[in-house]
Amino acid sequence: MMKELLRHARLLRLLLVMWVLLAPASAVHASAAVGEVTLCIGSSQIQREGRIEPVSRGYGIVPGDVIRTTTSGHVHIRFVDGALVSVRPDSVLQVVEYRYDAANPSASLIKFYLETGTVRGISGLAAQAARDKFRLNTPLVAIGVKGTDFVTQADAKRAVVLVNQGAIVLAPLDNICRADGFGPCATPRSRELAATMDGMALVYRQAAREPLLQPVNSLQGADKITPALLQERVSNASTATAVADSRSPGQALAQEAAAVAESRARAERARAEQQTPPRTDSLTWGRWATDPRPGDNLTIPFREARNDKKITVGEDYYMLFRNETITNTLTNASGLANFRLESSTASYRDPYSVLSAATVNGGSLSIDFGRNTFATQLAVTAQSVGTQAVTATGTIDRTTGVFLSNGAADRVSGAVSLDTSQAGYFFSKSIGNGALMGATLWRR
């Protein structure tokens, strides 16, 4: 009997010790929340350590959590450093890592993984102090920030990014830009998108060599964006200090006011355009960079190029602006149109990303407005690689006049003037670990 009592006493002491040891660990886990759900609309779930739980306002977010929203679901999260994240319907976002040290914000470490759907993020103190340690991955790309409010829409086939404030750096995932890294990737294929590039999106398609800058209204086909992406977009004229919900009365009022302001602005522009005589040259090449590339005598600074013109296509250096005041005959165009090369610029980027001047020796461009197709070829010479042929075919959108090549090796993106008398495109051709690139203007 005494032995039995002693055995029970030892068991009780052991259980007491285990409870004392485990209780603090449980408390630490409970206090390890790095964010809190501040808004939950519709049905959404959190996947945590193999369990799936419904989301509600006040729910604590810890690293490793996966937020899954349904077609009706929409979740807002405020993190401990003041960062804000809006997870739109039909999205899957994982909080891979979130370490924030209020005493030493530069030591922060943050990573998200957007498997599919749409997410808007507004940087907090951690990302602002440790930009080299913030990363948003998608199945195809890595995104780093520069003090940013940005919107990402992604799936297994493409990624599309808009920037409301600041800037982002997007790079395709590869053996240099690895998914397990942190911060923006600095590779030959990385591209930057800033809020000053108003109306532009950075797009990367599966198997493409590099990301492409495109006007938001030109995204079609496989790259067609869903309304959620635009609902989180903020006009360049406004400031975004919080994540707004599309169903909130405050945002609806703001959107209505913005629409009225835009309508008035359009009317003012229309009156001004009626007083402006049409220009002979409808297309102008601008550049984002302050200084031109070696051998570039074609482009002018962005602010000069955009005067009374609108962007059609562009990338990280070249941007094609078009005069919108002339008569639009695009939809009535028919038959085959042949263009002659009027002016051009080209450069070669070697494997170490050093640029040198190149020369476009000649070429041809034909557009079949009946079949909505185009074909072009160029002869481009650079000292390091000799003369190379750039050949591309693709389709033209008769509504916008924008044309894009089908192939990934020789890439062409351009547009025709509204009266179809001019055309312009920028091109790139991969040569080993280097590339030829440039811009052209054509006339019928």
Side-chain angles (χ1 to χ4, degrees):
M1 183 70 178
M2 181 62 67
K3 291 182 178 179
E4 186 69 17
L5 289 173
L6 289 173
R7 188 175 70 82
H8 281 293
R10 285 196 298 268
L11 179 60
L12 287 172
R13 283 198 299 271
L14 178 61
L15 290 174
L16 180 61
V17 170
M18 291 179 63
W19 181 84
V20 170
L21 291 173
L22 291 176
S26 176
V28 169
H29 180 77
S31 64
V34 296
E36 179 183 345
V37 174
T38 57
L39 178 69
C40 182
I41 295 176
S43 176
S44 298
Q45 298 174 327
I46 293 285
Q47 180 179 330
R48 177 182 297 174
E49 298 177 347
R51 305 188 311 274
I52 296 179
E53 304 174 2
V55 181
S56 59
R57 184 176 179 181
Y59 194 102
I61 300 297
V62 300
D65 281 355
V66 179
I67 299 96
R68 298 179 179 273
T69 59
T70 63
T71 302
S72 64
H74 188 173
V75 175
H76 288 176
I77 303 168
R78 180 183 293 275
F79 288 89
V80 290
D81 65 324
L84 300 167
V85 170
S86 170
V87 188
R88 301 292 298 192
D90 292 319
S91 301
V92 179
L93 176 72
Q94 181 182 13
V95 183
V96 180
E97 188 70 72
Y98 212 102
R99 303 183 203 171
Y100 172 63
D101 183 354
N104 185 17
S106 62
S108 302
L109 198 64
I110 297 175
K111 180 183 286 185
F112 294 97
Y113 175 64
L114 177 59
E115 179 181 331
T116 187
T118 306
V119 165
R120 177 180 175 191
I122 298 179
S123 300
L125 295 177
Q128 293 170 14
R131 296 176 183 176
D132 59 332
K133 297 173 184 176
F134 174 95
R135 172 76 71 83
L136 169 64
N137 284 341
T138 79
L140 295 177
V141 304
I143 301 171
V145 302
K146 294 185 176 181
T148 305
D149 172 358
F150 68 108
V151 191
T152 305
Q153 190 167 99
D155 55 30
K157 295 183 178 180
R158 58 96 173 96
V160 182
V161 184
L162 305 177
V163 176
N164 293 324
Q165 286 186 345
I168 61 95
V169 177
L170 181 150
L173 292 170
D174 53 25
N175 59 347
I176 303 176
C177 182
R178 296 167 54 91
D180 58 1
F182 285 86
C185 290
T187 73
R189 301 203 295 164
S190 62
R191 296 291 181 269
E192 181 173 316
L193 177 66
T196 53
M197 303 176 185
D198 197 22
M200 301 301 294
L202 196 52
V203 182
Y204 181 72
R205 306 176 183 84
Q206 186 180 36
R209 174 173 171 78
E210 56 193 25
L212 177 67
L213 276 171
Q214 288 185 230
V216 174
N217 59 11
S218 73
L219 298 176
Q220 295 184 353
D223 296 317
K224 188 173 183 180
I225 57 178
T226 67
L229 186 70
L230 292 180
Q231 287 169 356
E232 291 288 7
R233 183 183 175 205
V234 176
S235 170
N236 223 18
S238 63
T239 56
T241 56
V243 175
D245 180 70
S246 61
R247 300 186 186 185
S248 70
Q251 187 181 22
L253 184 63
Q255 290 175 339
E256 182 178 351
V260 172
E262 176 60 23
S263 177
R264 290 174 179 171
R266 282 198 302 267
E268 290 295 329
R269 287 195 296 268
R271 281 194 292 270
E273 288 170 357
Q274 289 175 359
Q275 300 172 1
T276 304
R279 299 183 179 183
T280 304
D281 293 323
S282 299
L283 300 177
T284 302
W285 279 107
R287 63 175 183 271
W288 296 118
T290 303
D291 299 320
R293 285 177 173 174
D296 178 11
N297 296 315
L298 178 64
T299 67
I300 60 176
F302 169 79
R303 293 184 182 278
E304 296 178 30
R306 72 177 180 178
N307 185 32
D308 295 330
K309 295 185 178 181
K310 294 184 178 180
I311 295 173
T312 55
V313 296
E315 44 98 81
D316 62 332
Y317 179 81
Y318 299 109
M319 193 61 57
L320 183 61
F321 290 82
R322 182 171 63 191
N323 183 2
E324 303 287 307
T325 65
I326 63 176
T327 303
N328 189 341
T329 61
L330 276 171
T331 55
N332 298 324
S334 62
L336 183 66
N338 292 313
F339 293 77
R340 70 180 187 276
L341 184 62
E342 189 173 47
S343 55
S344 61
T345 181
S347 57
Y348 172 67
R349 184 183 66 214
D350 69 14
Y352 302 98
S353 296
V354 177
L355 290 171
S356 59
T359 304
V360 177
N361 302 317
S364 63
L365 170 64
S366 61
I367 299 178
D368 191 332
F369 289 103
R371 297 182 179 180
N372 298 329
T373 60
F374 80 93
T376 188
Q377 60 178 4
L378 292 173
V380 186
T381 303
Q383 185 176 0
S384 302
V385 295
T387 300
Q388 302 286 330
V390 177
T391 305
T393 59
T395 57
I396 180 170
D397 185 336
R398 292 278 295 283
T399 303
T400 63
V402 171
F403 54 89
L404 304 172
S405 58
N406 297 324
D410 294 2
R411 185 168 63 89
V412 164
S413 298
V416 296
S417 59
L418 295 182
D419 62 0
T420 72
S421 67
Q422 284 185 289
Y425 66 73
F426 67 85
F427 64 88
S428 66
K429 178 183 180 69
S430 301
I431 305 174
N433 292 325
L436 283 170
M437 61 202 74
T440 60
L441 278 177
W442 307 75
R443 192 181 294 275
R444 291 174 73 171

mmCIF file of all heavy atoms in Angstrom, residues 363-389:
data_model
loop_
_atom_site.group_PDB
_atom_site.id
_atom_site.type_symbol
_atom_site.label_atom_id
_atom_site.label_comp_id
_atom_site.label_asym_id
_atom_site.label_seq_id
_atom_site.Cartn_x
_atom_site.Cartn_y
_atom_site.Cartn_z
ATOM 1 N N GLY A 363 15.657 47.106 -91.854
ATOM 2 C CA GLY A 363 14.636 46.142 -91.483
ATOM 3 C C GLY A 363 13.340 46.372 -92.217
ATOM 4 O O GLY A 363 13.241 47.220 -93.115
ATOM 5 N N SER A 364 12.339 45.603 -91.840
ATOM 6 C CA SER A 364 11.018 45.709 -92.462
ATOM 7 C C SER A 364 9.940 45.491 -91.410
ATOM 8 O O SER A 364 10.167 44.807 -90.401
ATOM 9 C CB SER A 364 10.858 44.667 -93.579
ATOM 10 O OG SER A 364 10.932 43.355 -93.046
ATOM 11 N N LEU A 365 8.789 46.088 -91.637
ATOM 12 C CA LEU A 365 7.633 45.921 -90.760
ATOM 13 C C LEU A 365 6.374 45.936 -91.607
ATOM 14 O O LEU A 365 6.153 46.869 -92.370
ATOM 15 C CB LEU A 365 7.559 47.041 -89.709
ATOM 16 C CG LEU A 365 6.264 47.110 -88.875
ATOM 17 C CD1 LEU A 365 6.098 45.870 -88.011
ATOM 18 C CD2 LEU A 365 6.245 48.377 -88.016
ATOM 19 N N SER A 366 5.565 44.902 -91.480
ATOM 20 C CA SER A 366 4.271 44.850 -92.169
ATOM 21 C C SER A 366 3.182 44.501 -91.169
ATOM 22 O O SER A 366 3.383 43.648 -90.289
ATOM 23 C CB SER A 366 4.298 43.808 -93.294
ATOM 24 O OG SER A 366 4.555 42.519 -92.778
ATOM 25 N N ILE A 367 2.064 45.183 -91.279
ATOM 26 C CA ILE A 367 0.916 44.947 -90.397
ATOM 27 C C ILE A 367 -0.296 44.608 -91.250
ATOM 28 O O ILE A 367 -0.664 45.382 -92.140
ATOM 29 C CB ILE A 367 0.623 46.171 -89.516
ATOM 30 C CG1 ILE A 367 1.825 46.482 -88.616
ATOM 31 C CG2 ILE A 367 -0.619 45.928 -88.662
ATOM 32 C CD1 ILE A 367 1.652 47.702 -87.737
ATOM 33 N N ASP A 368 -0.895 43.466 -90.970
ATOM 34 C CA ASP A 368 -2.107 43.044 -91.673
ATOM 35 C C ASP A 368 -3.296 43.395 -90.792
ATOM 36 O O ASP A 368 -3.618 42.672 -89.840
ATOM 37 C CB ASP A 368 -2.062 41.538 -91.954
ATOM 38 C CG ASP A 368 -3.156 41.094 -92.908
ATOM 39 O OD1 ASP A 368 -4.218 41.752 -92.931
ATOM 40 O OD2 ASP A 368 -2.963 40.095 -93.624
ATOM 41 N N PHE A 369 -3.935 44.524 -91.104
ATOM 42 C CA PHE A 369 -5.060 44.974 -90.288
ATOM 43 C C PHE A 369 -6.290 44.099 -90.477
ATOM 44 O O PHE A 369 -7.191 44.101 -89.638
ATOM 45 C CB PHE A 369 -5.400 46.429 -90.613
ATOM 46 C CG PHE A 369 -4.370 47.404 -90.124
ATOM 47 C CD1 PHE A 369 -3.451 47.978 -91.002
ATOM 48 C CD2 PHE A 369 -4.296 47.748 -88.791
ATOM 49 C CE1 PHE A 369 -2.497 48.877 -90.557
ATOM 50 C CE2 PHE A 369 -3.343 48.643 -88.327
ATOM 51 C CZ PHE A 369 -2.435 49.205 -89.212
ATOM 52 N N GLY A 370 -6.352 43.359 -91.569
ATOM 53 C CA GLY A 370 -7.476 42.451 -91.786
ATOM 54 C C GLY A 370 -7.396 41.231 -90.887
ATOM 55 O O GLY A 370 -8.416 40.752 -90.376
ATOM 56 N N ARG A 371 -6.166 40.727 -90.690
ATOM 57 C CA ARG A 371 -5.974 39.525 -89.873
ATOM 58 C C ARG A 371 -5.477 39.851 -88.462
ATOM 59 O O ARG A 371 -5.274 38.948 -87.655
ATOM 60 C CB ARG A 371 -4.978 38.597 -90.549
ATOM 61 C CG ARG A 371 -5.457 38.078 -91.906
ATOM 62 C CD ARG A 371 -4.430 37.124 -92.508
ATOM 63 N NE ARG A 371 -4.890 36.600 -93.794
ATOM 64 C CZ ARG A 371 -4.196 35.747 -94.537
ATOM 65 N NH1 ARG A 371 -2.997 35.343 -94.129
ATOM 66 N NH2 ARG A 371 -4.676 35.310 -95.685
ATOM 67 N N ASN A 372 -5.241 41.123 -88.188
ATOM 68 C CA ASN A 372 -4.761 41.557 -86.870
ATOM 69 C C ASN A 372 -3.425 40.905 -86.515
ATOM 70 O O ASN A 372 -3.214 40.445 -85.378
ATOM 71 C CB ASN A 372 -5.799 41.276 -85.778
ATOM 72 C CG ASN A 372 -7.087 42.029 -85.993
ATOM 73 O OD1 ASN A 372 -7.083 43.128 -86.546
ATOM 74 N ND2 ASN A 372 -8.200 41.448 -85.580
ATOM 75 N N THR A 373 -2.508 40.865 -87.487
ATOM 76 C CA THR A 373 -1.184 40.280 -87.268
ATOM 77 C C THR A 373 -0.104 41.242 -87.762
ATOM 78 O O THR A 373 -0.382 42.173 -88.502
ATOM 79 C CB THR A 373 -1.028 38.943 -87.998
ATOM 80 O OG1 THR A 373 -1.205 39.162 -89.412
ATOM 81 C CG2 THR A 373 -2.059 37.933 -87.505
ATOM 82 N N PHE A 374 1.135 40.975 -87.345
ATOM 83 C CA PHE A 374 2.266 41.761 -87.839
ATOM 84 C C PHE A 374 3.487 40.856 -87.982
ATOM 85 O O PHE A 374 3.569 39.779 -87.364
ATOM 86 C CB PHE A 374 2.575 42.939 -86.913
ATOM 87 C CG PHE A 374 3.372 42.562 -85.693
ATOM 88 C CD1 PHE A 374 4.766 42.645 -85.687
ATOM 89 C CD2 PHE A 374 2.744 42.108 -84.542
ATOM 90 C CE1 PHE A 374 5.504 42.290 -84.571
ATOM 91 C CE2 PHE A 374 3.480 41.744 -83.419
ATOM 92 C CZ PHE A 374 4.859 41.844 -83.438
ATOM 93 N N ALA A 375 4.454 41.320 -88.782
ATOM 94 C CA ALA A 375 5.727 40.621 -88.939
ATOM 95 C C ALA A 375 6.823 41.658 -89.120
ATOM 96 O O ALA A 375 6.619 42.666 -89.804
ATOM 97 C CB ALA A 375 5.688 39.672 -90.136
ATOM 98 N N THR A 376 7.972 41.438 -88.504
ATOM 99 C CA THR A 376 9.071 42.396 -88.621
ATOM 100 C C THR A 376 10.408 41.685 -88.535
ATOM 101 O O THR A 376 10.501 40.572 -87.997
ATOM 102 C CB THR A 376 8.992 43.461 -87.507
ATOM 103 O OG1 THR A 376 9.953 44.481 -87.759
ATOM 104 C CG2 THR A 376 9.242 42.851 -86.136
ATOM 105 N N GLN A 377 11.426 42.321 -89.094
ATOM 106 C CA GLN A 377 12.790 41.838 -88.950
ATOM 107 C C GLN A 377 13.754 43.021 -88.964
ATOM 108 O O GLN A 377 13.497 44.035 -89.613
ATOM 109 C CB GLN A 377 13.146 40.842 -90.050
ATOM 110 C CG GLN A 377 13.064 41.394 -91.462
ATOM 111 C CD GLN A 377 13.475 40.354 -92.487
ATOM 112 O OE1 GLN A 377 13.742 39.200 -92.164
ATOM 113 N NE2 GLN A 377 13.517 40.755 -93.749
ATOM 114 N N LEU A 378 14.855 42.868 -88.224
ATOM 115 C CA LEU A 378 15.873 43.902 -88.131
ATOM 116 C C LEU A 378 17.258 43.256 -88.237
ATOM 117 O O LEU A 378 17.432 42.083 -87.869
ATOM 118 C CB LEU A 378 15.800 44.638 -86.784
ATOM 119 C CG LEU A 378 14.592 45.515 -86.474
ATOM 120 C CD1 LEU A 378 14.678 45.991 -85.026
ATOM 121 C CD2 LEU A 378 14.515 46.701 -87.422
ATOM 122 N N ALA A 379 18.222 44.023 -88.719
ATOM 123 C CA ALA A 379 19.623 43.631 -88.661
ATOM 124 C C ALA A 379 20.305 44.569 -87.681
ATOM 125 O O ALA A 379 20.356 45.780 -87.906
ATOM 126 C CB ALA A 379 20.271 43.726 -90.038
ATOM 127 N N VAL A 380 20.804 44.026 -86.580
ATOM 128 C CA VAL A 380 21.385 44.837 -85.511
ATOM 129 C C VAL A 380 22.839 44.407 -85.306
ATOM 130 O O VAL A 380 23.131 43.214 -85.169
ATOM 131 C CB VAL A 380 20.599 44.681 -84.197
ATOM 132 C CG1 VAL A 380 21.135 45.641 -83.137
ATOM 133 C CG2 VAL A 380 19.115 44.935 -84.435
ATOM 134 N N THR A 381 23.732 45.390 -85.270
ATOM 135 C CA THR A 381 25.162 45.102 -85.154
ATOM 136 C C THR A 381 25.733 45.692 -83.879
ATOM 137 O O THR A 381 25.495 46.861 -83.556
ATOM 138 C CB THR A 381 25.928 45.669 -86.367
ATOM 139 O OG1 THR A 381 25.388 45.122 -87.568
ATOM 140 C CG2 THR A 381 27.407 45.324 -86.278
ATOM 141 N N ALA A 382 26.486 44.862 -83.149
ATOM 142 C CA ALA A 382 27.240 45.304 -81.978
ATOM 143 C C ALA A 382 28.640 44.728 -82.082
ATOM 144 O O ALA A 382 28.834 43.622 -82.600
ATOM 145 C CB ALA A 382 26.570 44.844 -80.688
ATOM 146 N N GLN A 383 29.610 45.471 -81.605
ATOM 147 C CA GLN A 383 31.001 45.054 -81.749
ATOM 148 C C GLN A 383 31.259 43.693 -81.109
ATOM 149 O O GLN A 383 32.011 42.876 -81.655
ATOM 150 C CB GLN A 383 31.918 46.106 -81.122
ATOM 151 C CG GLN A 383 33.400 45.828 -81.312
ATOM 152 C CD GLN A 383 34.272 46.948 -80.766
ATOM 153 O OE1 GLN A 383 33.760 47.932 -80.243
ATOM 154 N NE2 GLN A 383 35.577 46.812 -80.907
ATOM 155 N N SER A 384 30.620 43.410 -79.998
ATOM 156 C CA SER A 384 30.903 42.172 -79.268
ATOM 157 C C SER A 384 30.292 40.935 -79.908
ATOM 158 O O SER A 384 30.827 39.835 -79.761
ATOM 159 C CB SER A 384 30.385 42.285 -77.821
ATOM 160 O OG SER A 384 30.969 43.382 -77.169
ATOM 161 N N VAL A 385 29.172 41.088 -80.636
ATOM 162 C CA VAL A 385 28.460 39.911 -81.148
ATOM 163 C C VAL A 385 28.252 39.956 -82.652
ATOM 164 O O VAL A 385 27.618 39.056 -83.224
ATOM 165 C CB VAL A 385 27.090 39.757 -80.441
ATOM 166 C CG1 VAL A 385 27.299 39.462 -78.955
ATOM 167 C CG2 VAL A 385 26.234 41.004 -80.629
ATOM 168 N N GLY A 386 28.740 40.993 -83.332
ATOM 169 C CA GLY A 386 28.568 41.096 -84.777
ATOM 170 C C GLY A 386 27.143 41.469 -85.143
ATOM 171 O O GLY A 386 26.404 42.069 -84.358
ATOM 172 N N THR A 387 26.726 41.107 -86.365
ATOM 173 C CA THR A 387 25.378 41.417 -86.835
ATOM 174 C C THR A 387 24.426 40.274 -86.504
ATOM 175 O O THR A 387 24.699 39.114 -86.821
ATOM 176 C CB THR A 387 25.370 41.674 -88.350
ATOM 177 O OG1 THR A 387 26.231 42.778 -88.642
ATOM 178 C CG2 THR A 387 23.955 41.998 -88.836
ATOM 179 N N GLN A 388 23.330 40.629 -85.890
ATOM 180 C CA GLN A 388 22.320 39.652 -85.479
ATOM 181 C C GLN A 388 20.978 40.012 -86.094
ATOM 182 O O GLN A 388 20.656 41.201 -86.265
ATOM 183 C CB GLN A 388 22.178 39.633 -83.951
ATOM 184 C CG GLN A 388 23.464 39.303 -83.215
ATOM 185 C CD GLN A 388 23.829 37.849 -83.313
ATOM 186 O OE1 GLN A 388 22.965 36.980 -83.428
ATOM 187 N NE2 GLN A 388 25.132 37.557 -83.286
ATOM 188 N N ALA A 389 20.192 38.979 -86.415
ATOM 189 C CA ALA A 389 18.843 39.187 -86.956
ATOM 190 C C ALA A 389 17.829 39.138 -85.831
ATOM 191 O O ALA A 389 17.843 38.222 -85.005
ATOM 192 C CB ALA A 389 18.516 38.125 -87.992
#
